[in-house]
Amino acid sequence: MSKSELSLTSVASPGCAATSRVRPPLGAEEAAEFAGVFKALADPVRLRLLSAIASRAGQEACVCDISDGVDVSQPTISHHLKVLREAGLLTSERRASWVYYRVVPAALQRLSHMLAIEAGLGVTA
């Protein structure tokens, strides 16, 4: 049996009783996806921008509406919005000379669902 094939019980310390799994853990690919989303959300400015958009009617806002009160330059705001868009948390649409951003509810629901499962809240599909 190779090291990668060893079960957790065979590498446990003497006297350590292994517990049984109740569900499979995250796989490498899924963990990498979630890590990208968490990385996008880990910046306070990005979190504030996402919240500012989500707090608007229809979870949509013009970039001109969400930059008020955020003490960074417009190019920096644009960069942060791009990161949130690339993480799949926002979509954008140009209307005349303004860009409107909208929250992607399914992305937040997927993240919430994963966290609820990891917290052991017994979430069902």
Side-chain angles (χ1 to χ4, degrees), residues 28-110:
E29 188 174 311
E30 194 174 28
E33 279 182 47
F34 282 119
V37 175
F38 281 119
K39 184 176 180 182
L41 291 172
D43 185 281
V45 172
R46 288 195 283 268
L47 198 52
R48 287 182 63 204
L49 291 171
L50 180 69
S51 179
I53 296 166
S55 68
R56 298 285 179 150
Q59 295 187 314
E60 177 185 76
C62 175
V63 69
C64 62
D65 294 330
I66 58 174
S67 55
D68 289 340
V70 180
D71 296 331
V72 294
S73 67
Q74 183 59 47
T76 302
I77 289 174
S78 294
H79 166 74
H80 286 304
L81 291 169
K82 177 184 173 190
V83 171
L84 291 168
R85 209 174 56 246
E86 289 174 347
L89 296 166
L90 296 177
T91 59
S92 63
E93 177 185 349
R94 180 169 291 282
R95 298 180 195 159
S97 60
W98 294 105
V99 177
Y100 286 77
Y101 289 88
R102 181 181 293 261
V103 171
V104 178
L108 295 179
Q109 289 167 352
R110 185 169 183 252

